[in-house]
Amino acid sequence: MRALVAEDDASLRRILHDGLVEAGYVVDTVPDGDEALRYIDILEYSVLILDWRMPGLSGREVLARVRVRDTSTPIVMLTARDAPEDRIDALDAGADDYVVKPFDFGELLARLRALQRRNSDARSPTLSCGALEVDPSTHRVHVEGREIRVTPREFAIVELLVRKSPGVVTRRSIALQAWPEEADAVGSNTIEVHIARLRSKLVGAGVRVETVRGVGYRLAAS
């Protein structure tokens, strides 16, 4: 899953980045609201974490602009403003949660997990293809009740393949979903290595990962 953190405090931005990466997210960080909108225009995110006060566009303004065109992506506001009217304003504007600084990072992660469960349940509890089941809320992969152990990056790839199946997923889409820097994956054989590992782990899952030469990959039921 990919997360965007918009926070002007460099030290907090680094803490959020490192903690979310350790929790299995692919994380982009920006120092202001204008840069946040540029990233949002290009990439697809599982969650947005926005500081209320930032240079240029505030987190509140970014929230309002995003909600005009996107009503489903979970958005968490970070702020030192804890007056009831501020919380009401943010929630009414479309925020899914409101976290007051200073906060416990473990609690923030728990709130993100709750938002993802809610977002996943609104669509479908699990994704499936053949005997393969992928649960976005728990990051678990099962085949007929048996758990398949995958890394966070492998999970990001298989989730994308299942969501798009039987359509073709381009190499660039995989790189954007699973790597912080697209060029790190597209310009090497890194994607191929991860696909090969997934293929070996998905033996007996009733699916096959097909290579579409010059384009990307497709997940199809066997």
Side-chain angles (χ1 to χ4, degrees):
M1 292 181 295
R2 197 175 196 106
L4 176 68
V5 174
E7 166 61 59
D8 66 333
D9 184 307
S11 60
L12 179 55
R13 193 165 65 242
R14 171 53 58 182
I15 290 171
L16 288 167
H17 173 275
D18 292 349
L20 289 168
V21 167
E22 187 176 347
Y25 289 84
V26 173
V27 184
D28 297 315
T29 61
V30 295
D32 58 67
D34 299 281
E35 190 72 2
L37 280 182
R38 282 193 283 272
Y39 272 69
I40 293 165
D41 284 339
I42 297 171
L43 299 169
E44 182 176 342
Y45 289 99
S46 299
V47 65
L48 307 178
I49 301 173
L50 308 176
D51 181 30
W52 186 296
R53 292 175 180 251
M54 292 185 290
L57 291 175
S58 69
R60 171 64 175 77
E61 290 171 310
V62 173
L63 167 65
R65 294 195 185 192
V66 170
R67 281 299 183 238
V68 169
R69 59 192 180 188
D70 177 1
T71 59
S72 62
T73 300
I75 299 178
V76 177
M77 295 296 296
L78 296 181
T79 178
R81 304 167 63 139
D82 61 352
E85 56 268 26
D86 292 325
R87 293 195 294 271
I88 291 169
D89 179 43
L91 294 170
D92 282 347
D96 296 279
D97 207 345
Y98 187 99
V99 178
V100 178
K101 302 175 185 178
F103 56 87
D104 179 82
F105 187 75
E107 180 183 352
L108 175 63
L109 284 180
R111 289 173 178 265
L112 293 179
R113 289 193 295 269
L115 287 175
Q116 286 148 15
R117 284 195 300 272
R118 184 193 313 164
N119 205 38
S120 176
D121 290 345
R123 298 189 307 262
S124 174
T126 60
L127 306 169
S128 63
C129 181
L132 177 67
E133 292 188 344
V134 175
D135 188 338
S137 66
T138 63
H139 280 206
R140 290 182 176 175
V141 178
H142 290 87
V143 175
E144 296 181 342
R146 175 176 58 90
E147 184 172 0
I148 305 297
R149 308 294 290 185
V150 295
T151 66
R153 192 154 285 163
E154 290 168 349
F155 183 87
I157 296 171
V158 74
E159 179 189 4
L160 182 61
L161 288 171
V162 174
R163 284 191 185 280
K164 301 297 184 182
S165 178
V168 177
V169 179
T170 66
R171 287 170 48 83
R172 181 172 184 271
S173 294
I174 292 173
L176 288 172
Q177 176 79 2
W179 276 269
E181 297 293 336
E182 174 191 349
D184 291 347
V186 173
S188 67
N189 70 338
T190 302
I191 292 177
E192 286 78 4
V193 170
H194 282 76
I195 291 291
R197 290 174 181 165
L198 270 177
R199 282 176 171 144
S200 66
K201 292 181 178 183
L202 296 180
V203 171
V207 297
R208 62 183 182 277
V209 181
E210 300 175 344
T211 300
V212 180
R213 190 173 298 278
V215 182
Y217 300 91
R218 175 196 296 119
L219 188 68
S222 299

